Amino acid sequence: MIDVFKLGVIGDPVEHSLSPAIHHQFGQQTNIELAYKAYHVKKQELENFIQAFFKNGGHGLNVTLPHKLDCLDLADIVSKEVDEIGAANTLRINDQKKIVAETTDGQGFIYDCDQKNIQIENKNILIVGAGGAAQSIIPAIAQKKPNNLIITNRTKEKIIPILDKFAAHSLNSFEDFDKEIDLFINATSAGHLNSFAWDEGNDLLTSNTVFYDLSYGESARAFLKWSSQFSRKSFDGTGMLISQAAHSFNHWFKIMPNINKINII
Ligand code: NDP
């Protein structure tokens, strides 16, 4: 019987991760004693770190940039979604002592949309951005059966392999799209430089459009200001951040914590 569960997040950099604060609150909420730490792991240390962590009693890891892809090489088993997306954010050890890679970003996004009553089914959904975060939410959104799921990106060539990769999910390019956008998802990292601009189809944005930035806190400020010219329905990614963490916790302990009781300020 384990008294204290050893958990952590690995990344480079990782010092500003909010995951330790979130998971400690989940632990308190569920009466599970855990030691969750942020580990600064460089690329060349990744293999040794993950193997040693689980060999020495580690129960689970979150994985953040830049290791979300490379950690798959260390996993014995990958979930169907991880296989499709090609990246993971959660590692766990199963009863056979095998390392299992999961992704919870998509579930976290959908869970937060449900909490905020953001409709996806039968709606026109636009994703702006084509990096890891954009790709990680595509299968989960597609499962909710939107009317149209479309994507655009600053660097247009990056869209082509993504359309190919997610062809089974009816993902299409924004080019020539001419219907009203119901949900506009900012999956760019522009906000980290305190900027956001988009003018590819402003006539498709209305006061009914819901705007959702995957970035959160200060990094979402520029997007929220930009979107306020169209609609008052704008959200940052804090809820997704907490929800994806809750789904990781659920993978480790088979308990879904209450995301509404988390304070990360
Ligand atoms: P990546 O580096 O993989 O991708 C960045 C994307 O942003 C690319 O599409 C890039 O376009 C685009 N971009 C960057 N700068 C600009 C700019 N100035 N103007 C327009 N487009 C720009 O990052 P991630 O996908 O991993 O992360 C994206 C955001 O999502 C980050 O802010 C991250 O914090 C957030 N995130 C939030 C999560 C949550 O739980 N709330 C979970 C995961 C991520 P190009 O291809 O042209 O370079």
Side-chain angles (χ1 to χ4, degrees), residues 65 68 105 128-134 136 153-155 158 186-190 192-193 195-197 212-216 219 237-238 240-242 244:
L65 294 175
K68 286 184 168 191
D105 281 342
V128 179
S136 71
N153 188 47
R154 178 178 63 178
T155 311
K158 289 195 189 165
N186 175 26
T188 77
S189 53
H192 290 286
L193 298 172
S195 77
F196 184 84
Y212 192 111
D213 195 348
L214 300 193
S215 300
Y216 45 85
S219 301
T238 306
M240 173 180 168
L241 175 77
I242 297 171
Q244 59 81 27

PDB file of all heavy atoms in Angstrom, residues 65 68 105 128-134 136 153-155 158 186-190 192-193 195-197 212-216 219 237-238 240-242 244, ligand 1:
ATOM      1  N   LEU A  65       5.996  20.916 -22.803  1.00  0.00           N
ATOM      2  CA  LEU A  65       6.983  21.234 -23.835  1.00  0.00           C
ATOM      3  C   LEU A  65       8.405  21.168 -23.307  1.00  0.00           C
ATOM      4  O   LEU A  65       8.634  21.559 -22.169  1.00  0.00           O
ATOM      5  CB  LEU A  65       6.714  22.648 -24.382  1.00  0.00           C
ATOM      6  CG  LEU A  65       5.398  22.803 -25.154  1.00  0.00           C
ATOM      7  CD1 LEU A  65       5.186  24.258 -25.528  1.00  0.00           C
ATOM      8  CD2 LEU A  65       5.404  21.943 -26.404  1.00  0.00           C
ATOM      9  N   LYS A  68       6.514  16.448 -25.327  1.00  0.00           N
ATOM     10  CA  LYS A  68       5.232  15.765 -25.581  1.00  0.00           C
ATOM     11  C   LYS A  68       5.314  14.708 -26.682  1.00  0.00           C
ATOM     12  O   LYS A  68       4.557  13.747 -26.675  1.00  0.00           O
ATOM     13  CB  LYS A  68       4.152  16.801 -25.930  1.00  0.00           C
ATOM     14  CG  LYS A  68       3.683  17.603 -24.731  1.00  0.00           C
ATOM     15  CD  LYS A  68       2.556  18.537 -25.125  1.00  0.00           C
ATOM     16  CE  LYS A  68       1.901  19.112 -23.878  1.00  0.00           C
ATOM     17  NZ  LYS A  68       0.649  19.815 -24.179  1.00  0.00           N
ATOM     18  N   ASP A 105      -5.562  16.714 -23.239  1.00  0.00           N
ATOM     19  CA  ASP A 105      -5.886  18.084 -23.677  1.00  0.00           C
ATOM     20  C   ASP A 105      -7.267  18.153 -24.337  1.00  0.00           C
ATOM     21  O   ASP A 105      -8.049  19.067 -24.067  1.00  0.00           O
ATOM     22  CB  ASP A 105      -4.831  18.608 -24.671  1.00  0.00           C
ATOM     23  CG  ASP A 105      -3.569  19.076 -23.966  1.00  0.00           C
ATOM     24  OD1 ASP A 105      -3.610  19.323 -22.747  1.00  0.00           O
ATOM     25  OD2 ASP A 105      -2.530  19.195 -24.647  1.00  0.00           O
ATOM     26  N   VAL A 128      -7.673  28.338 -35.056  1.00  0.00           N
ATOM     27  CA  VAL A 128      -6.595  29.164 -35.600  1.00  0.00           C
ATOM     28  C   VAL A 128      -5.307  28.733 -34.898  1.00  0.00           C
ATOM     29  O   VAL A 128      -5.192  28.849 -33.670  1.00  0.00           O
ATOM     30  CB  VAL A 128      -6.869  30.662 -35.373  1.00  0.00           C
ATOM     31  CG1 VAL A 128      -5.716  31.506 -35.929  1.00  0.00           C
ATOM     32  CG2 VAL A 128      -8.179  31.066 -36.035  1.00  0.00           C
ATOM     33  N   GLY A 129      -4.368  28.223 -35.695  1.00  0.00           N
ATOM     34  CA  GLY A 129      -3.134  27.675 -35.110  1.00  0.00           C
ATOM     35  C   GLY A 129      -3.000  26.227 -35.511  1.00  0.00           C
ATOM     36  O   GLY A 129      -4.018  25.532 -35.710  1.00  0.00           O
ATOM     37  N   ALA A 130      -1.760  25.785 -35.684  1.00  0.00           N
ATOM     38  CA  ALA A 130      -1.554  24.417 -36.174  1.00  0.00           C
ATOM     39  C   ALA A 130      -0.436  23.713 -35.413  1.00  0.00           C
ATOM     40  O   ALA A 130       0.194  22.794 -35.923  1.00  0.00           O
ATOM     41  CB  ALA A 130      -1.244  24.465 -37.664  1.00  0.00           C
ATOM     42  N   GLY A 131      -0.199  24.139 -34.197  1.00  0.00           N
ATOM     43  CA  GLY A 131       0.849  23.507 -33.383  1.00  0.00           C
ATOM     44  C   GLY A 131       0.300  22.331 -32.590  1.00  0.00           C
ATOM     45  O   GLY A 131      -0.777  21.793 -32.903  1.00  0.00           O
ATOM     46  N   GLY A 132       1.028  21.948 -31.563  1.00  0.00           N
ATOM     47  CA  GLY A 132       0.668  20.773 -30.766  1.00  0.00           C
ATOM     48  C   GLY A 132      -0.689  20.903 -30.108  1.00  0.00           C
ATOM     49  O   GLY A 132      -1.485  19.945 -30.107  1.00  0.00           O
ATOM     50  N   ALA A 133      -0.998  22.080 -29.584  1.00  0.00           N
ATOM     51  CA  ALA A 133      -2.265  22.252 -28.859  1.00  0.00           C
ATOM     52  C   ALA A 133      -3.442  22.144 -29.817  1.00  0.00           C
ATOM     53  O   ALA A 133      -4.449  21.493 -29.514  1.00  0.00           O
ATOM     54  CB  ALA A 133      -2.276  23.596 -28.139  1.00  0.00           C
ATOM     55  N   ALA A 134      -3.314  22.777 -30.987  1.00  0.00           N
ATOM     56  CA  ALA A 134      -4.395  22.707 -31.987  1.00  0.00           C
ATOM     57  C   ALA A 134      -4.665  21.252 -32.343  1.00  0.00           C
ATOM     58  O   ALA A 134      -5.816  20.793 -32.346  1.00  0.00           O
ATOM     59  CB  ALA A 134      -3.998  23.493 -33.238  1.00  0.00           C
ATOM     60  N   SER A 136      -3.983  18.560 -30.699  1.00  0.00           N
ATOM     61  CA  SER A 136      -4.412  17.699 -29.594  1.00  0.00           C
ATOM     62  C   SER A 136      -5.917  17.795 -29.328  1.00  0.00           C
ATOM     63  O   SER A 136      -6.479  16.912 -28.698  1.00  0.00           O
ATOM     64  CB  SER A 136      -3.625  18.007 -28.320  1.00  0.00           C
ATOM     65  OG  SER A 136      -4.018  19.253 -27.802  1.00  0.00           O
ATOM     66  N   ASN A 153      -3.906  28.774 -40.294  1.00  0.00           N
ATOM     67  CA  ASN A 153      -2.657  29.035 -39.566  1.00  0.00           C
ATOM     68  C   ASN A 153      -1.862  30.110 -40.282  1.00  0.00           C
ATOM     69  O   ASN A 153      -2.000  30.280 -41.496  1.00  0.00           O
ATOM     70  CB  ASN A 153      -1.832  27.736 -39.503  1.00  0.00           C
ATOM     71  CG  ASN A 153      -0.623  27.866 -38.600  1.00  0.00           C
ATOM     72  OD1 ASN A 153      -0.742  28.362 -37.480  1.00  0.00           O
ATOM     73  ND2 ASN A 153       0.536  27.438 -39.068  1.00  0.00           N
ATOM     74  N   ARG A 154      -1.047  30.829 -39.495  1.00  0.00           N
ATOM     75  CA  ARG A 154      -0.193  31.863 -40.083  1.00  0.00           C
ATOM     76  C   ARG A 154       0.634  31.280 -41.222  1.00  0.00           C
ATOM     77  O   ARG A 154       0.652  31.804 -42.325  1.00  0.00           O
ATOM     78  CB  ARG A 154       0.720  32.430 -38.977  1.00  0.00           C
ATOM     79  CG  ARG A 154       1.689  33.460 -39.450  1.00  0.00           C
ATOM     80  CD  ARG A 154       2.497  34.002 -38.297  1.00  0.00           C
ATOM     81  NE  ARG A 154       3.324  32.971 -37.650  1.00  0.00           N
ATOM     82  CZ  ARG A 154       4.154  33.215 -36.644  1.00  0.00           C
ATOM     83  NH1 ARG A 154       4.241  34.431 -36.140  1.00  0.00           N
ATOM     84  NH2 ARG A 154       4.881  32.229 -36.125  1.00  0.00           N
ATOM     85  N   THR A 155       1.312  30.154 -40.966  1.00  0.00           N
ATOM     86  CA  THR A 155       2.109  29.496 -42.007  1.00  0.00           C
ATOM     87  C   THR A 155       1.223  28.445 -42.676  1.00  0.00           C
ATOM     88  O   THR A 155       0.964  27.377 -42.102  1.00  0.00           O
ATOM     89  CB  THR A 155       3.353  28.830 -41.373  1.00  0.00           C
ATOM     90  OG1 THR A 155       3.984  29.789 -40.531  1.00  0.00           O
ATOM     91  CG2 THR A 155       4.323  28.335 -42.419  1.00  0.00           C
ATOM     92  N   LYS A 158       1.757  24.512 -43.212  1.00  0.00           N
ATOM     93  CA  LYS A 158       1.671  23.569 -42.086  1.00  0.00           C
ATOM     94  C   LYS A 158       0.305  22.905 -41.978  1.00  0.00           C
ATOM     95  O   LYS A 158       0.142  21.897 -41.298  1.00  0.00           O
ATOM     96  CB  LYS A 158       1.999  24.303 -40.782  1.00  0.00           C
ATOM     97  CG  LYS A 158       3.457  24.670 -40.652  1.00  0.00           C
ATOM     98  CD  LYS A 158       3.787  25.055 -39.237  1.00  0.00           C
ATOM     99  CE  LYS A 158       5.189  25.622 -39.146  1.00  0.00           C
ATOM    100  NZ  LYS A 158       5.418  26.323 -37.880  1.00  0.00           N
ATOM    101  N   ASN A 186      -8.638  30.094 -30.489  1.00  0.00           N
ATOM    102  CA  ASN A 186      -7.266  30.568 -30.703  1.00  0.00           C
ATOM    103  C   ASN A 186      -6.298  29.542 -30.116  1.00  0.00           C
ATOM    104  O   ASN A 186      -6.183  29.408 -28.903  1.00  0.00           O
ATOM    105  CB  ASN A 186      -7.055  31.924 -30.029  1.00  0.00           C
ATOM    106  CG  ASN A 186      -5.601  32.364 -30.144  1.00  0.00           C
ATOM    107  OD1 ASN A 186      -4.892  31.962 -31.069  1.00  0.00           O
ATOM    108  ND2 ASN A 186      -5.156  33.180 -29.198  1.00  0.00           N
ATOM    109  N   ALA A 187      -5.637  28.813 -31.007  1.00  0.00           N
ATOM    110  CA  ALA A 187      -4.646  27.823 -30.561  1.00  0.00           C
ATOM    111  C   ALA A 187      -3.246  28.281 -30.944  1.00  0.00           C
ATOM    112  O   ALA A 187      -2.348  27.457 -31.126  1.00  0.00           O
ATOM    113  CB  ALA A 187      -4.960  26.462 -31.176  1.00  0.00           C
ATOM    114  N   THR A 188      -3.068  29.595 -31.084  1.00  0.00           N
ATOM    115  CA  THR A 188      -1.724  30.110 -31.361  1.00  0.00           C
ATOM    116  C   THR A 188      -1.044  30.471 -30.045  1.00  0.00           C
ATOM    117  O   THR A 188      -1.698  30.593 -29.004  1.00  0.00           O
ATOM    118  CB  THR A 188      -1.749  31.382 -32.247  1.00  0.00           C
ATOM    119  OG1 THR A 188      -2.132  32.510 -31.445  1.00  0.00           O
ATOM    120  CG2 THR A 188      -2.693  31.244 -33.418  1.00  0.00           C
ATOM    121  N   SER A 189       0.249  30.681 -30.138  1.00  0.00           N
ATOM    122  CA  SER A 189       0.982  31.125 -28.943  1.00  0.00           C
ATOM    123  C   SER A 189       1.293  32.617 -29.037  1.00  0.00           C
ATOM    124  O   SER A 189       2.139  33.115 -28.306  1.00  0.00           O
ATOM    125  CB  SER A 189       2.270  30.304 -28.789  1.00  0.00           C
ATOM    126  OG  SER A 189       3.018  30.349 -29.986  1.00  0.00           O
ATOM    127  N   ALA A 190       0.579  33.318 -29.933  1.00  0.00           N
ATOM    128  CA  ALA A 190       0.838  34.753 -30.140  1.00  0.00           C
ATOM    129  C   ALA A 190       0.728  35.541 -28.831  1.00  0.00           C
ATOM    130  O   ALA A 190       1.472  36.498 -28.612  1.00  0.00           O
ATOM    131  CB  ALA A 190      -0.130  35.312 -31.174  1.00  0.00           C
ATOM    132  N   HIS A 192       1.687  34.983 -25.976  1.00  0.00           N
ATOM    133  CA  HIS A 192       2.878  35.006 -25.112  1.00  0.00           C
ATOM    134  C   HIS A 192       3.718  36.244 -25.411  1.00  0.00           C
ATOM    135  O   HIS A 192       4.526  36.662 -24.591  1.00  0.00           O
ATOM    136  CB  HIS A 192       3.712  33.732 -25.299  1.00  0.00           C
ATOM    137  CG  HIS A 192       3.011  32.522 -24.739  1.00  0.00           C
ATOM    138  ND1 HIS A 192       2.900  32.268 -23.400  1.00  0.00           N
ATOM    139  CD2 HIS A 192       2.361  31.505 -25.353  1.00  0.00           C
ATOM    140  CE1 HIS A 192       2.220  31.157 -23.205  1.00  0.00           C
ATOM    141  NE2 HIS A 192       1.876  30.670 -24.380  1.00  0.00           N
ATOM    142  N   LEU A 193       3.524  36.795 -26.619  1.00  0.00           N
ATOM    143  CA  LEU A 193       4.216  38.045 -26.979  1.00  0.00           C
ATOM    144  C   LEU A 193       3.250  39.222 -26.853  1.00  0.00           C
ATOM    145  O   LEU A 193       3.458  40.289 -27.412  1.00  0.00           O
ATOM    146  CB  LEU A 193       4.769  37.963 -28.410  1.00  0.00           C
ATOM    147  CG  LEU A 193       5.812  36.881 -28.631  1.00  0.00           C
ATOM    148  CD1 LEU A 193       6.152  36.760 -30.115  1.00  0.00           C
ATOM    149  CD2 LEU A 193       7.077  37.167 -27.826  1.00  0.00           C
ATOM    150  N   SER A 195       0.334  39.717 -28.122  1.00  0.00           N
ATOM    151  CA  SER A 195      -0.321  40.224 -29.331  1.00  0.00           C
ATOM    152  C   SER A 195      -1.307  39.186 -29.872  1.00  0.00           C
ATOM    153  O   SER A 195      -1.167  37.989 -29.601  1.00  0.00           O
ATOM    154  CB  SER A 195       0.731  40.542 -30.397  1.00  0.00           C
ATOM    155  OG  SER A 195       1.176  39.357 -31.000  1.00  0.00           O
ATOM    156  N   PHE A 196      -2.301  39.658 -30.594  1.00  0.00           N
ATOM    157  CA  PHE A 196      -3.156  38.760 -31.376  1.00  0.00           C
ATOM    158  C   PHE A 196      -3.803  39.567 -32.479  1.00  0.00           C
ATOM    159  O   PHE A 196      -4.324  40.668 -32.241  1.00  0.00           O
ATOM    160  CB  PHE A 196      -4.256  38.077 -30.552  1.00  0.00           C
ATOM    161  CG  PHE A 196      -5.027  37.109 -31.408  1.00  0.00           C
ATOM    162  CD1 PHE A 196      -4.549  35.817 -31.621  1.00  0.00           C
ATOM    163  CD2 PHE A 196      -6.179  37.513 -32.081  1.00  0.00           C
ATOM    164  CE1 PHE A 196      -5.218  34.940 -32.474  1.00  0.00           C
ATOM    165  CE2 PHE A 196      -6.847  36.640 -32.937  1.00  0.00           C
ATOM    166  CZ  PHE A 196      -6.360  35.344 -33.130  1.00  0.00           C
ATOM    167  N   ALA A 197      -3.764  39.060 -33.692  1.00  0.00           N
ATOM    168  CA  ALA A 197      -4.446  39.698 -34.814  1.00  0.00           C
ATOM    169  C   ALA A 197      -4.894  38.610 -35.775  1.00  0.00           C
ATOM    170  O   ALA A 197      -4.201  37.600 -35.943  1.00  0.00           O
ATOM    171  CB  ALA A 197      -3.501  40.660 -35.530  1.00  0.00           C
ATOM    172  N   TYR A 212     -12.678  31.384 -27.783  1.00  0.00           N
ATOM    173  CA  TYR A 212     -12.003  30.604 -26.723  1.00  0.00           C
ATOM    174  C   TYR A 212     -10.508  30.602 -27.007  1.00  0.00           C
ATOM    175  O   TYR A 212     -10.068  30.187 -28.083  1.00  0.00           O
ATOM    176  CB  TYR A 212     -12.538  29.175 -26.722  1.00  0.00           C
ATOM    177  CG  TYR A 212     -12.137  28.359 -25.497  1.00  0.00           C
ATOM    178  CD1 TYR A 212     -13.079  27.981 -24.550  1.00  0.00           C
ATOM    179  CD2 TYR A 212     -10.810  27.963 -25.296  1.00  0.00           C
ATOM    180  CE1 TYR A 212     -12.720  27.244 -23.432  1.00  0.00           C
ATOM    181  CE2 TYR A 212     -10.450  27.223 -24.171  1.00  0.00           C
ATOM    182  CZ  TYR A 212     -11.406  26.863 -23.249  1.00  0.00           C
ATOM    183  OH  TYR A 212     -11.053  26.126 -22.138  1.00  0.00           O
ATOM    184  N   ASP A 213      -9.746  31.088 -26.070  1.00  0.00           N
ATOM    185  CA  ASP A 213      -8.285  31.092 -26.196  1.00  0.00           C
ATOM    186  C   ASP A 213      -7.719  29.936 -25.374  1.00  0.00           C
ATOM    187  O   ASP A 213      -8.013  29.835 -24.172  1.00  0.00           O
ATOM    188  CB  ASP A 213      -7.737  32.427 -25.657  1.00  0.00           C
ATOM    189  CG  ASP A 213      -6.297  32.663 -26.082  1.00  0.00           C
ATOM    190  OD1 ASP A 213      -5.660  31.713 -26.590  1.00  0.00           O
ATOM    191  OD2 ASP A 213      -5.812  33.789 -25.897  1.00  0.00           O
ATOM    192  N   LEU A 214      -6.925  29.076 -26.006  1.00  0.00           N
ATOM    193  CA  LEU A 214      -6.305  27.991 -25.230  1.00  0.00           C
ATOM    194  C   LEU A 214      -5.280  28.575 -24.257  1.00  0.00           C
ATOM    195  O   LEU A 214      -5.010  27.995 -23.207  1.00  0.00           O
ATOM    196  CB  LEU A 214      -5.612  26.976 -26.143  1.00  0.00           C
ATOM    197  CG  LEU A 214      -6.470  26.240 -27.187  1.00  0.00           C
ATOM    198  CD1 LEU A 214      -5.694  25.061 -27.755  1.00  0.00           C
ATOM    199  CD2 LEU A 214      -7.793  25.769 -26.633  1.00  0.00           C
ATOM    200  N   SER A 215      -4.684  29.723 -24.591  1.00  0.00           N
ATOM    201  CA  SER A 215      -3.752  30.384 -23.671  1.00  0.00           C
ATOM    202  C   SER A 215      -4.556  30.939 -22.498  1.00  0.00           C
ATOM    203  O   SER A 215      -5.764  31.144 -22.609  1.00  0.00           O
ATOM    204  CB  SER A 215      -3.039  31.543 -24.366  1.00  0.00           C
ATOM    205  OG  SER A 215      -2.311  31.062 -25.467  1.00  0.00           O
ATOM    206  N   TYR A 216      -3.880  31.176 -21.399  1.00  0.00           N
ATOM    207  CA  TYR A 216      -4.612  31.626 -20.208  1.00  0.00           C
ATOM    208  C   TYR A 216      -3.828  32.716 -19.478  1.00  0.00           C
ATOM    209  O   TYR A 216      -2.649  32.952 -19.744  1.00  0.00           O
ATOM    210  CB  TYR A 216      -4.894  30.435 -19.270  1.00  0.00           C
ATOM    211  CG  TYR A 216      -3.721  29.537 -19.067  1.00  0.00           C
ATOM    212  CD1 TYR A 216      -2.750  29.810 -18.111  1.00  0.00           C
ATOM    213  CD2 TYR A 216      -3.551  28.406 -19.869  1.00  0.00           C
ATOM    214  CE1 TYR A 216      -1.650  28.985 -17.950  1.00  0.00           C
ATOM    215  CE2 TYR A 216      -2.454  27.576 -19.717  1.00  0.00           C
ATOM    216  CZ  TYR A 216      -1.522  27.876 -18.744  1.00  0.00           C
ATOM    217  OH  TYR A 216      -0.424  27.068 -18.591  1.00  0.00           O
ATOM    218  N   SER A 219      -1.311  35.735 -20.934  1.00  0.00           N
ATOM    219  CA  SER A 219      -1.114  35.386 -22.350  1.00  0.00           C
ATOM    220  C   SER A 219      -2.406  35.432 -23.156  1.00  0.00           C
ATOM    221  O   SER A 219      -2.371  35.388 -24.386  1.00  0.00           O
ATOM    222  CB  SER A 219      -0.509  33.991 -22.474  1.00  0.00           C
ATOM    223  OG  SER A 219       0.707  33.955 -21.799  1.00  0.00           O
ATOM    224  N   GLY A 237      -8.064  29.931 -21.435  1.00  0.00           N
ATOM    225  CA  GLY A 237      -7.877  28.487 -21.293  1.00  0.00           C
ATOM    226  C   GLY A 237      -7.643  27.979 -19.876  1.00  0.00           C
ATOM    227  O   GLY A 237      -7.214  26.835 -19.697  1.00  0.00           O
ATOM    228  N   THR A 238      -7.978  28.824 -18.873  1.00  0.00           N
ATOM    229  CA  THR A 238      -7.766  28.362 -17.492  1.00  0.00           C
ATOM    230  C   THR A 238      -8.592  27.110 -17.194  1.00  0.00           C
ATOM    231  O   THR A 238      -8.108  26.160 -16.582  1.00  0.00           O
ATOM    232  CB  THR A 238      -8.140  29.479 -16.492  1.00  0.00           C
ATOM    233  OG1 THR A 238      -7.415  30.654 -16.830  1.00  0.00           O
ATOM    234  CG2 THR A 238      -7.814  29.078 -15.070  1.00  0.00           C
ATOM    235  N   MET A 240      -9.666  24.872 -19.275  1.00  0.00           N
ATOM    236  CA  MET A 240      -9.091  23.705 -19.965  1.00  0.00           C
ATOM    237  C   MET A 240      -7.874  23.193 -19.212  1.00  0.00           C
ATOM    238  O   MET A 240      -7.674  21.983 -19.075  1.00  0.00           O
ATOM    239  CB  MET A 240      -8.703  24.082 -21.391  1.00  0.00           C
ATOM    240  CG  MET A 240      -7.947  22.995 -22.112  1.00  0.00           C
ATOM    241  SD  MET A 240      -7.508  23.499 -23.783  1.00  0.00           S
ATOM    242  CE  MET A 240      -6.341  22.215 -24.225  1.00  0.00           C
ATOM    243  N   LEU A 241      -7.050  24.129 -18.741  1.00  0.00           N
ATOM    244  CA  LEU A 241      -5.843  23.746 -18.001  1.00  0.00           C
ATOM    245  C   LEU A 241      -6.201  22.873 -16.788  1.00  0.00           C
ATOM    246  O   LEU A 241      -5.613  21.809 -16.558  1.00  0.00           O
ATOM    247  CB  LEU A 241      -5.109  25.020 -17.538  1.00  0.00           C
ATOM    248  CG  LEU A 241      -3.903  24.789 -16.663  1.00  0.00           C
ATOM    249  CD1 LEU A 241      -2.729  24.331 -17.515  1.00  0.00           C
ATOM    250  CD2 LEU A 241      -3.533  26.048 -15.887  1.00  0.00           C
ATOM    251  N   ILE A 242      -7.198  23.334 -16.038  1.00  0.00           N
ATOM    252  CA  ILE A 242      -7.606  22.589 -14.830  1.00  0.00           C
ATOM    253  C   ILE A 242      -8.281  21.274 -15.234  1.00  0.00           C
ATOM    254  O   ILE A 242      -8.036  20.230 -14.624  1.00  0.00           O
ATOM    255  CB  ILE A 242      -8.532  23.468 -13.961  1.00  0.00           C
ATOM    256  CG1 ILE A 242      -7.766  24.707 -13.481  1.00  0.00           C
ATOM    257  CG2 ILE A 242      -9.070  22.681 -12.776  1.00  0.00           C
ATOM    258  CD1 ILE A 242      -8.619  25.759 -12.806  1.00  0.00           C
ATOM    259  N   GLN A 244      -7.843  19.466 -18.040  1.00  0.00           N
ATOM    260  CA  GLN A 244      -6.916  18.439 -18.544  1.00  0.00           C
ATOM    261  C   GLN A 244      -6.133  17.824 -17.385  1.00  0.00           C
ATOM    262  O   GLN A 244      -5.835  16.632 -17.381  1.00  0.00           O
ATOM    263  CB  GLN A 244      -6.020  18.962 -19.685  1.00  0.00           C
ATOM    264  CG  GLN A 244      -5.118  20.149 -19.390  1.00  0.00           C
ATOM    265  CD  GLN A 244      -3.840  19.762 -18.672  1.00  0.00           C
ATOM    266  OE1 GLN A 244      -3.364  18.648 -18.797  1.00  0.00           O
ATOM    267  NE2 GLN A 244      -3.319  20.681 -17.876  1.00  0.00           N
TER     268      GLN A 244
HETATM  269  P1  NDP B   1       3.205  25.513 -30.751  1.00  0.00           P
HETATM  270  O1  NDP B   1       4.498  26.223 -30.603  1.00  0.00           O
HETATM  271  O2  NDP B   1       3.189  24.057 -31.062  1.00  0.00           O
HETATM  272  O3  NDP B   1       2.338  26.236 -31.921  1.00  0.00           O
HETATM  273  C1  NDP B   1       2.232  27.628 -31.959  1.00  0.00           C
HETATM  274  C2  NDP B   1       1.185  28.066 -32.972  1.00  0.00           C
HETATM  275  O4  NDP B   1       0.980  29.473 -32.814  1.00  0.00           O
HETATM  276  C3  NDP B   1       1.587  27.840 -34.434  1.00  0.00           C
HETATM  277  O5  NDP B   1       0.431  27.530 -35.186  1.00  0.00           O
HETATM  278  C4  NDP B   1       2.133  29.222 -34.829  1.00  0.00           C
HETATM  279  O6  NDP B   1       2.022  29.508 -36.201  1.00  0.00           O
HETATM  280  C5  NDP B   1       1.192  30.109 -34.069  1.00  0.00           C
HETATM  281  N1  NDP B   1       1.743  31.435 -33.802  1.00  0.00           N
HETATM  282  C6  NDP B   1       2.780  31.753 -33.005  1.00  0.00           C
HETATM  283  N2  NDP B   1       2.968  33.087 -32.985  1.00  0.00           N
HETATM  284  C7  NDP B   1       2.023  33.627 -33.792  1.00  0.00           C
HETATM  285  C8  NDP B   1       1.686  34.951 -34.169  1.00  0.00           C
HETATM  286  N3  NDP B   1       2.368  35.992 -33.711  1.00  0.00           N
HETATM  287  N4  NDP B   1       0.638  35.121 -34.991  1.00  0.00           N
HETATM  288  C9  NDP B   1      -0.062  34.079 -35.466  1.00  0.00           C
HETATM  289  N5  NDP B   1       0.205  32.802 -35.146  1.00  0.00           N
HETATM  290  C10 NDP B   1       1.234  32.578 -34.310  1.00  0.00           C
HETATM  291  O7  NDP B   1       2.393  25.828 -29.419  1.00  0.00           O
HETATM  292  P2  NDP B   1       1.228  24.940 -28.755  1.00  0.00           P
HETATM  293  O8  NDP B   1       0.310  24.506 -29.830  1.00  0.00           O
HETATM  294  O9  NDP B   1       1.810  23.912 -27.877  1.00  0.00           O
HETATM  295  O10 NDP B   1       0.507  25.995 -27.784  1.00  0.00           O
HETATM  296  C11 NDP B   1      -0.337  27.010 -28.288  1.00  0.00           C
HETATM  297  C12 NDP B   1      -0.961  27.746 -27.112  1.00  0.00           C
HETATM  298  O11 NDP B   1      -1.853  26.893 -26.426  1.00  0.00           O
HETATM  299  C13 NDP B   1       0.075  28.219 -26.086  1.00  0.00           C
HETATM  300  O12 NDP B   1      -0.237  29.546 -25.708  1.00  0.00           O
HETATM  301  C14 NDP B   1      -0.122  27.284 -24.917  1.00  0.00           C
HETATM  302  O13 NDP B   1       0.161  27.909 -23.680  1.00  0.00           O
HETATM  303  C15 NDP B   1      -1.610  26.977 -25.019  1.00  0.00           C
HETATM  304  N6  NDP B   1      -1.977  25.679 -24.412  1.00  0.00           N
HETATM  305  C16 NDP B   1      -2.936  25.682 -23.423  1.00  0.00           C
HETATM  306  C17 NDP B   1      -3.333  24.513 -22.819  1.00  0.00           C
HETATM  307  C18 NDP B   1      -4.376  24.559 -21.755  1.00  0.00           C
HETATM  308  O14 NDP B   1      -4.540  23.548 -21.044  1.00  0.00           O
HETATM  309  N7  NDP B   1      -5.126  25.652 -21.594  1.00  0.00           N
HETATM  310  C19 NDP B   1      -2.747  23.208 -23.204  1.00  0.00           C
HETATM  311  C20 NDP B   1      -1.763  23.308 -24.262  1.00  0.00           C
HETATM  312  C21 NDP B   1      -1.392  24.510 -24.822  1.00  0.00           C
HETATM  313  P3  NDP B   1       3.194  29.153 -37.234  1.00  0.00           P
HETATM  314  O15 NDP B   1       2.982  27.725 -37.606  1.00  0.00           O
HETATM  315  O16 NDP B   1       2.951  30.098 -38.357  1.00  0.00           O
HETATM  316  O17 NDP B   1       4.507  29.398 -36.540  1.00  0.00           O
END
